[in-house]
Every structure is written in structure tokens, then in C-alpha cells.
Amino acid sequence: MRGLGIGAAGIRTSLTRGRAFLLRGAKAGGAAIAALAALGLFAGVLAACSTGGTGPRDEGPARTDPVGSTAAADGASPSPSASPSPPSSSEAVRIVKKDPKVSADIKRDLKPCVEDEYPVDVSYGTLTGSSRSDVVVNVMTCGDAVSIGTYVYRDVGGTYKNVFRDEEPPVYGEIDRGDLVVTKQVYEKGDSVASPSGEEVLTYRWNGDHFAQESRTHNDYSKAVDGESPAPSDDDG
């Protein structure tokens, strides 16, 4: 998992087909529609003349609908206003730096790794039921990409406020089907950074005021898959 010392690769697929077929169909359909339209216009002129009138009329009373009714009809179903967009990654960095709940050590270490690229992972989604997307920020180290702090920000009156934080590294927060899932790697004596002994997965859910822990799962990692084996005992011959 990214931020916990384990990388992941994404797969992107793109399928495009049928464009030539659609273009040919559009041209054929256009010719048929034009012919039908011409026949319809001609039939309409004949019908107007057969009634004994002088043909299509240009004059006539203007629309008698009250002006207010038109306005009311137009205002009956106003187009919905677009929701404000969530902060970009660079804006999320500024939010973290200004956040009084973020420790001074993390603010001090939050520096660009390359030019203006900051070591942060930013996720957007629905966690608190706000009309604007909630934001999860994982602050990492530049060298080994280990997450050292996880924060959740919720829009309150147009300003993003900190509603969750965990600064016990390594820790990584994600949005999973409306829940906040925080993963912590567990190290025992002698473990290297790349080979923890296990992990704890904590699931939090918004209760209208704060995040409450819903579940906790502990997983032990096998040392055998990493090529490690326990040191032989004195009884081994």
C-alpha cells in the first residue's frame, strides 16, 4: 500500500470503436430526413390553400400569455447551481500548513521533494455527508514514501476544518464506501522498515459530530514470503 512502504500499479484501459460506422449512418440518415422535410412542407402549403384562405398568414394576434406567467414558468425549474470544487493538492498543502491541529514537526518536514511537488496523497469523497467533498490528506516522507500523518477535512461554512488526525507513523487513511479506513503497520524488534510484522486496520464512521471507530482488524505478516526464516535453536542438529 502506498504510504506504508508497499507500491501499487494502476491499470488504465480505453476502448474506442464504431466511429466510421456512425458517420456513414449519419450521412445516410441526413439525406432521408431532408427529403421527408421537403414533402411535409409541400403538404402543409396545399392544406393551407384548400381551406379557402390566402395561404400562410403572417399577421395575427401576439401571444396573450401574461408576462408574469412566462417568468413563473421559467422560474419553476431553475438550473441547479454547481457545487464548489474541492481544493487541489497544492491548496490541500496550504490547508495542512495553516491547520493548528497539525504538529509543528510535520509542518516543518512538509517540504517539496522535487521543485514544487509535495509528498502528499490527497483523496476526495463522501465521509461526513457534507454537500462538498471531504478531503483526506496523507503526509509522507520524500525518501521512502512512508506516511507520517493522516488528516480529514470537512467543509464548514465554506472553510475546510480538521475533523480527524492521526500522527502515529506509519499510518495511511483512505475512503472506502463512505467509511474512513486507517491502516497502521506494526513493527517488532528487529523489523526493517520494508518488512513489518503485521498491520492494524481501523474503520471509522461519521456519527454527525465526529468519527467513531467501528471496527479493528489485526493481520500478521508471514516472514517466509520475504525469504526470512527464524534463527535455528540450539536443539537443531
Side-chain angles (χ1 to χ4, degrees):
M1 176 181 291
R2 178 177 174 85
L4 295 175
I6 302 176
I11 300 176
R12 298 181 180 176
T13 60
S14 175
L15 299 175
T16 55
R17 58 188 178 184
R19 181 175 181 181
F21 175 79
L22 292 177
L23 291 177
R24 289 197 298 271
K27 291 179 180 179
I33 291 173
L36 291 174
L39 290 174
L41 179 60
F42 180 73
V45 172
L46 290 178
C49 294
S50 65
T51 59
T54 58
R57 296 178 60 184
D58 293 333
E59 73 278 10
R63 178 172 177 158
T64 58
D65 294 339
V67 175
S69 64
T70 303
D74 294 339
S77 53
S79 58
S81 58
S83 301
S85 58
S88 62
S89 295
S90 58
E91 291 172 337
V93 170
R94 288 193 290 270
I95 291 174
V96 171
K97 286 187 172 184
K98 294 180 180 180
D99 185 359
K101 294 183 178 181
V102 177
S103 69
D105 291 339
I106 290 183
K107 288 182 179 180
R108 182 177 59 251
D109 294 337
L110 184 53
K111 299 177 181 179
C113 297
V114 179
E115 296 181 354
D116 59 347
E117 296 293 330
Y118 283 84
V120 295
D121 278 354
V122 184
S123 303
Y124 309 93
T126 301
L127 285 172
T128 68
S130 175
S131 59
R132 195 175 179 188
S133 294
D134 299 307
V135 183
V136 178
V137 182
N138 290 286
V139 179
M140 299 177 293
T141 60
C142 289
D144 46 18
V146 172
S147 181
I148 57 177
T150 295
Y151 310 92
V152 178
Y153 293 94
R154 179 176 190 262
D155 177 66
V156 179
T159 303
Y160 275 98
K161 302 292 185 180
N162 187 322
V163 291
F164 179 89
R165 66 168 181 156
D166 192 324
E167 297 180 336
E168 295 182 7
V171 57
Y172 197 89
E174 298 174 289
I175 300 174
D176 184 8
R177 291 171 292 183
D179 291 335
L180 173 64
V181 178
V182 177
T183 303
K184 293 171 169 286
Q185 289 188 335
V186 178
Y187 291 89
E188 295 180 357
K189 185 177 181 180
D191 288 344
S192 63
V193 174
S195 300
S197 293
E199 69 175 10
E200 287 194 347
V201 181
L202 298 89
T203 301
Y204 296 89
R205 187 166 298 165
W206 183 256
N207 65 4
D209 180 63
H210 64 278
F211 283 99
Q213 183 177 314
E214 290 289 320
S215 64
R216 186 186 192 101
T217 304
H218 180 86
N219 300 314
D220 286 327
Y221 295 155
S222 171
K223 296 294 185 181
V225 296
D226 294 330
E228 300 180 8
S229 58
S233 63
D234 295 338
D235 296 336
D236 293 338

